[in-house]
Every structure is written in C-alpha cells, then in structure tokens.
Amino acid sequence: MTAFEPRVFSGVQPTGNLHLGNYLGAVSRFVPLQDQMPSVYCVVDLHAITVWQDPAELMRATREVTAAYLAAGVDPKKAIIFNQSQVKEHSELAWMFNCIARMGWLRRMTQFKEKAGKNAENASVGLFAYPNLMAADILAYRATHVPVGDDQKQHLELTRDIAQKFNNDYAERIVELGLGVTNPEPTPESPAELYFPLPEPLIAGPATRIMSLRDGSKKMSKSDPSDLSRINLNDDAETIAKKIKKAKTDPDALPSEVEGLKDRLEADNLVGIYAALAGTTKADVLKEYGGQQFSAFKPALSDLAVEKLAPMTGEIRRLVADPTAIDAVLKDGAERAAAIAEPVLHDVRRIFGFVEARFGR
Ligand code: AQP
C-alpha cells in the first residue's frame, strides 16, 4: 500500500451524565466528519471500568451515550457506532501495547495524576494503563484522524509514540511480511514502511476545552461533585437557565476584542460556549455583546443553549426508552467494527511472531 486510508476514530466513556463539554468538544464534531471519511464512534465501556462502575448504571449510561451520538446526528448507516467491550481486539491490542509502551511514558500522563490524586497506590492498574487501551482503540482501525477535546492531546501523543515504536521495533518484519505502507516522511527514527499510521488529533474551534461554570480554571467534567459546574445534556430548560445564571463571572462588562478575555477565565469560557453553540467565533460574539454586562449576556446564552440542546435532549429521552432499538444499533456496529479490527490483529500477531495455529488464515 502506498498510503493509509483515511479513517476517523473517537470515543466517549459511559460514566455519568454527558455534559456540554463532551458535546461541544467531541460528539458534535463527529457529525460533519462522517461525511468526509469512514468513521468509527465507540462507547468506551472498558475505559469506564478503570474506576468502579455500578453495573446497572454502566448499562444505562452506555445506552445513553449511544442515544446521544444518534440524537446529535451520527448516522449509524454511515458511521460505525458500537461499545468497546464487544470487539475483543481492543483488549488484545491493548495488552500488546502494554508491552510496547514504557513505564516512564505513562508516568508522565497528567490525567492519571489528576484522577488518581494522592491515592495513586490504590488506583487500578487499568487507570494507569488507560492510554495504552486508547492507543489500541485507535490503531485497531489504523485510524488516521481523532476528534477529541484538548484534554486528550497528551494521550494522542502517546498513541503516536506507541505506533512509532512498534513501526521501528518491527520494521524488518513488516517489510518481510509485505504489510508495510509507504512512509511519506522517512527519517532515521521512522522507517520507510509503516504498519500503523501516526494519527492526527483533530482539536479545533472555540470549544476544545469547556471549563467548569463554577471555576474557570477547572475543566467541565462528569466527575465534578458540583452539578452546578456543568450543563448536562439531560438538563431541562429551567435547570440550564439556573446554572448559567449562577455561573461564576467577574464584575466587568464584556470586552469588545478577544484580547480583552485574557486573564478573565470565566468570561472567556462563557463567550467560547456561546460561539460554539452559535457556530461562530469568539470575535463575532464580542462584536455583538462587547460592552454589555453579564446580566444581559447570560439570558442570551441561556436562550441559545436551550434552543440548541432541547431538541437533542428530547431525542435522547425518546431513544433511551427503546433499549432494544439501541442494542440493535450497537450489535450492527460491533459486527462492522470487528470486520475491520480482526484482520489488523491477524497482521499484528504475525508481526510479533505468534504461531497462528487457531486464527491463521
Ligand atoms: N470540558 C471539556 N471540554 C471539551 N471537551 C471535553 N471532553 C471532555 N470534557 C471536555 C471531551 O469529551 C470526550 C469524551 O470524554 P470522556 O467521556 O472520554 O472522558 P473525560 O475526558 O474524562 O470526560 P469527563 O467529563 O472529564 O469525565 P470524568 O469526569 O469521568 O473524567 C473526549 O474527546 C474529551 O476530550
């Protein structure tokens, strides 16, 4: 092969309620991409169990994230939608990547440090090795593009490091088996033929990092104990309005230029949310609202959020009421995903030198 076929992969964890950050940073961006490249969108339930999950709640949240993909406009006829645990190649490749990635690489991951906190000795091994599973998710499909929020940038870099080390460690074997793809930019560190692509993160737009409504220095997150810190996709109009009204701000009016948002974390966040929901830029939002007080801007933001989110919220509710239909989407998606990942794992087993007594073809 002379080039990797373009493919998108991304995932969301079924842990608690989806929020505006998940929607603007990731899910909403899946929709246009499905018309540009073959796309694989996963509900990453294996990632979810890196911390304790109540089984019934995990099932509910898995179906709810699936419903959110559908309600946002991901079309299961175009894109593949499935849950990670149903395609065993993710786990198998993750183990192999546990043996490629280095301890030092994982120790540098800031998300582990944040999530494990002071209790790292008691965190699961899975939470520590989480980025290796993420690399396996992406590379089991030899995906080339990964739309994610800014918080996943470091994990994406690790995925590229893993792909690069595998391509290097097994460079001769890849050529010998005729499995290589021409490397457009060979260097002493990167051989002439590659098995895995080095996937590109797609992190762009005004909403790559939506911050907490209570603290502009903290990411909006499902695990924040304060529900007022985030807008959940299942919040009703009244709740959305209340949360935006209570959102932390400063006493000044909005600036007329984007530079004026510097050092005003909360103002910057609300203007970014408005821009992302309206499909415009922060500069355009400030052209309209510059000079106005938050008492005028917040109601406009509430109205916009409700206008954009209410139809989706209604559709998620309608979809989750029919779990059989959701499971049918997940089953079909898992079969199509496995049809891509199985031959990749077959190649990878051969590259490692495993005797393919059972899986050989
Ligand atoms: N605040 C955010 N702004 C923009 N994008 C965000 N994402 C998450 N938070 C924001 C993006 O959403 C996708 C799915 O994330 P995830 O469910 O895999 O887990 P996460 O990043 O760990 O999300 P949370 O809400 O912070 O969950 P908890 O609290 O459980 O850790 C990813 O593309 C992510 O970048």
Side-chain angles (χ1 to χ4, degrees), residues 14 45 48-49 51-63:
D45 49 7
I49 61 161
V51 295
W52 160 254
Q53 301 297 331
D54 173 75
E57 171 56 20
L58 183 63
M59 292 175 84
R60 183 203 68 77
T62 300
R63 294 191 176 109

Side-chain angles (χ1 to χ4, degrees), residues 13 19 21-22 115 149 151 208 210 219-223:
Q13 295 189 69
H19 55 72
N22 300 134
K115 289 202 171 179
D151 58 320
T208 55
I210 300 291
K219 181 180 93 118
M220 186 178 282
S221 166
K222 297 184 203 110
S223 52

Side-chain angles (χ1 to χ4, degrees), residues 10-15 17-27 44 111 115 130 147-152 207-211 219-224:
S10 195
V12 172
Q13 295 189 69
T15 46
N17 291 324
L18 278 187
H19 55 72
L20 192 65
N22 300 134
Y23 175 66
L24 294 176
V27 181
V44 289
Q111 194 177 82
K115 289 202 171 179
Y130 179 113
V148 279
D150 183 65
D151 58 320
Q152 294 300 325
T208 55
R209 184 179 278 263
I210 300 291
M211 308 310 279
K219 181 180 93 118
M220 186 178 282
S221 166
K222 297 184 203 110
S223 52
D224 192 314

Side-chain angles (χ1 to χ4, degrees), residues 46-52 94-95 97-99 101-103 106-107 109 111-113 115-116 119-134 155 158:
L46 294 173
H47 281 284
I49 61 161
T50 53
V51 295
W52 160 254
W95 174 259
F97 287 168
N98 284 344
C99 304
R102 308 287 93 182
M103 291 292 287
L106 291 173
R107 280 214 185 93
M109 295 296 112
Q111 194 177 82
F112 177 76
K113 289 181 202 157
K115 289 202 171 179
N119 213 6
E121 285 302 307
N122 218 12
S124 72
V125 175
L127 190 67
F128 184 66
Y130 179 113
N132 295 345
L133 177 58
M134 180 165 157
H155 289 164
L158 191 104

